[in-house]
């Protein structure tokens, strides 16, 4: 939802973007469980889920990166992300440059997360590239995300037992307090 509280942007999984005004009464969304009415007066954000496996609570197979990355991978406190407090259970803290690798028992085909940075003084200058790889190679590259920018990631790929989340520093690594918000696979 935009600051005017009357308009919003809806990003669809296949790349289409809808921008417009929503009803004062609320936003109706058809789901697999039936129709849902969402108040547009009190709602600031709607986080969508694949209904898959949450990666924050899933043990990773390997991780490497600078000392900030390895020391903070599993955050223990909340962080201010996108202007509001998020509990540690909602994100992987992935200070660039770093790499988190998962290997799954059964193949996965989809990945969803929001690539962004959390609020610190240094992050006002930060610049990070987020990448996703599978056993078949790279399936996503964010390009440069700067100054608390964000990018919602939804990727479908060939069935893979391996998933690698990469954060690359673009400039000084001291300023790249990046996070994978709501990371999940299916």
């Amino acid at each position: 939802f935009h600051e005017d509280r009357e308009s919003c942007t809806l990003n669809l999984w296949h790349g289409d973007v809808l921008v417009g005004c929503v009803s004062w009464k609320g936003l109706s969304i058809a789901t697999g469980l039936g129709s849902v009415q969402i108040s547009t007066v009190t709602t600031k954000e709607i986080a969508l889920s694949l209904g898959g496996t949450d990666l924050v609570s899933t043990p990773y197979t390997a991780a490497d990166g600078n000392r900030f990355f390895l020391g903070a991978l599993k955050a223990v406190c909340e962080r201010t992300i996108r202007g509001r407090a998020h509990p540690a259970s909602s994100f992987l803290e992935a200070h660039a440059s770093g790499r988190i690798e998962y290997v799954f028992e059964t193949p996965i085909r989809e990945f969803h997360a929001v690539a962004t940075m959390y609020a610190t003084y240094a992050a006002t200058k930060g610049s990070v590239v987020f990448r996703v790889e599978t056993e078949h190679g790279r399936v996503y590259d964010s390009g440069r995300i700067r100054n608390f920018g964000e990018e919602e990631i939804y990727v479908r790929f060939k069935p893979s037992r391996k998933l690698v989340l990469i954060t690359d520093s673009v400039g000084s690594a001291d300023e790249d307090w990046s996070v994978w918000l709501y990371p999940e696979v299916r």
Side-chain angles (χ1 to χ4, degrees), residues 7 10-11 14 17 31-32 60 72 108 117 124 150 153 157 173 181:
S7 61
L10 181 62
N11 296 296
H14 62 327
V17 177
T31 72
Y60 52 87
I108 58 167
M117 288 183 251
T124 60
E150 64 182 65
I153 303 167
F157 42 82
L181 184 60

Side-chain angles (χ1 to χ4, degrees), residues 129-145:
V129 173
F130 292 81
R131 294 190 173 96
V132 179
E133 294 179 357
T134 70
E135 62 195 50
H136 307 292
R138 185 175 297 163
V139 295
Y140 177 81
D141 189 325
S142 71
R144 189 177 193 173
I145 295 180

